Amino acid sequence: MATRKKTEKNKAQFLLSTDTLSWYGLDLIFDTAKELNFDGIDLAMRKNFDAWHIDYVKDLSIKYDLPVKVVQISDKANIKEMNQWVDLWKELGVEAVTINAPSIFNISSFRFLTWQLPSYKAHNKWVKFSLINAWNENYMAVIPKHYFSNMKEIIKKYRMYLAIDVANVQEDILDHDLIKYLPNYIPYMSVVYLSDVGKDGKKHLPLWDGVYKLPSLLKKCKQNEYYWFFSLKVTISKKDLADIEKVKVILKKCRTYYTENFETLKLD
């Protein structure tokens, strides 16, 4: 079993979600994250088939001295995927598992999560089981598109930690609810998936490339001593992904943005 390196009590960590580079192999993702000074990896199991090979992931973590802090479960959660996550936890010392909200028509995954998560939580007490808030868009203006779109419900009804995907929060809710009442959310937060959103609603843009008030959110997190994980989850075009140096420029700018707006930010 891997040695567990606990998150420092008074230092948030900036992770690279493998979602961001899902077209790449894990070796290149680890290598890039290490070069650009990320603190660790957020492993999206549904997009990187390499992630299912536990010994390989463990070898990469040792090779690059870069821990896997978070494992992300797909929106089609089932017993096979969850048990695979448990095996990863045992080998890598993962501290949080984040679960994507299933679509409203995926009743089997919703039932699996609501019926089985209490048992997984009871047997894995060291881990923050977390639901990622879904975009609360409606299908045909009547039916919600996904389960788990309400952040308060995730905490209160399902008694889960909250993994906030900022791009899935509507701008007015981010400004007038989330940032304002963030101190109430922080005790129940495990991961903040950072990205920006464009004027046209395009989601998961690089941190400087949209209209969301990310500096205000990051400042509020620091003021209220949020010391868990931020995970960079941005969408990079296939054209840019074909040029690793261009990818590194994008990720480096995101890393600098986070450093300036959180790590080295001086509070009044």
Side-chain angles (χ1 to χ4, degrees):
M1 183 181 296
T3 301
R4 183 178 299 276
K5 296 181 180 179
K6 281 291 185 182
T7 298
E8 294 180 39
K9 186 176 181 181
N10 296 319
K11 183 183 181 300
Q13 296 192 358
F14 192 48
L15 312 180
L16 178 62
S17 170
T18 59
D19 255 338
T20 297
L21 302 176
S22 60
W23 290 84
Y24 289 2
L26 280 186
D27 196 317
L28 182 55
I29 295 176
F30 270 81
D31 182 52
T32 303
K34 184 67 176 180
E35 179 181 339
L36 299 180
N37 200 33
F38 283 84
D39 297 310
I41 294 292
D42 173 358
L43 190 67
M45 293 180 64
R46 71 190 187 281
K47 290 190 177 179
N48 297 94
F49 291 113
D50 291 351
W52 289 77
H53 299 281
I54 297 171
D55 289 341
Y56 179 60
V57 177
K58 183 178 178 181
D59 288 343
L60 290 176
S61 182
I62 294 170
K63 175 182 177 181
Y64 291 103
D65 190 25
L66 201 61
V68 177
K69 290 290 188 176
V70 177
V71 167
Q72 187 184 154
I73 301 297
S74 78
D75 59 356
K76 297 178 176 61
N78 55 51
I79 191 168
K80 180 179 179 180
E81 191 172 8
M82 288 295 289
N83 287 344
Q84 181 74 7
W85 166 80
V86 171
D87 290 339
L88 279 167
W89 172 81
K90 291 177 180 177
E91 287 296 326
L92 298 172
V94 172
E95 295 186 42
V97 55
T98 61
I99 303 166
N100 283 274
S103 75
I104 202 70
F105 300 110
N106 188 353
I107 297 173
S108 61
S109 288
F110 174 72
R111 287 178 175 171
F112 170 77
L113 293 173
T114 53
W115 293 352
Q116 298 300 324
L117 277 176
S119 178
Y120 280 97
K121 288 169 59 181
H123 289 90
N124 302 279
K125 295 181 181 294
W126 291 102
V127 181
K128 288 181 179 286
F129 281 84
S130 316
L131 288 169
I132 300 173
N133 59 297
W135 178 253
N136 61 356
E137 182 181 35
N138 289 345
Y139 177 73
M140 298 181 67
V142 178
I143 305 171
K145 195 170 183 179
H146 292 89
Y147 293 102
F148 308 124
S149 62
N150 188 307
M151 293 184 287
K152 294 177 183 177
E153 186 179 74
I154 288 171
I155 296 167
K156 292 183 176 181
K157 181 177 179 179
Y158 297 104
R159 299 184 180 276
M160 297 286 289
Y161 282 94
L162 176 63
I164 299 176
D165 188 333
V166 175
N168 285 344
V169 181
Q170 292 181 353
E171 188 175 7
D172 59 336
I173 294 175
L174 179 74
D175 294 346
H176 304 299
D177 185 357
L178 181 59
I179 292 177
K180 182 178 180 180
Y181 297 107
L182 191 68
N184 297 329
Y185 286 103
I186 278 181
Y188 309 100
M189 288 163 47
S190 63
V191 183
V192 177
Y193 283 99
L194 282 178
S195 65
D196 212 336
V197 177
K199 286 184 178 180
D200 59 356
K202 188 175 181 179
K203 300 197 294 181
H204 296 114
L205 299 177
L207 303 186
W208 68 89
D209 208 20
V211 298
Y212 273 24
K213 296 179 181 177
L214 298 182
S216 297
L217 175 63
L218 289 167
K219 182 178 181 180
K220 196 80 168 184
C221 283
K222 187 157 189 175
Q223 287 174 330
N224 290 277
E225 300 182 339
Y226 172 72
Y227 293 134
W228 274 86
F229 303 119
F230 293 96
S231 182
L232 183 67
K233 183 179 180 181
V234 298
T235 299
I236 300 175
S237 70
K238 291 181 181 179
K239 180 180 178 181
D240 286 341
L241 283 170
D243 185 343
I244 184 61
E245 296 307 318
K246 188 173 290 188
V247 168
K248 289 178 181 179
V249 169
I250 295 170
L251 297 183
K252 187 174 182 179
K253 286 180 69 175
C254 289
R255 185 69 176 92
T256 300
Y257 185 101
Y258 169 79
T259 298
E260 293 175 349
N261 287 283
F262 186 85
E263 285 184 330
T264 60
L265 178 68
K266 301 297 183 183
L267 298 175
D268 299 332

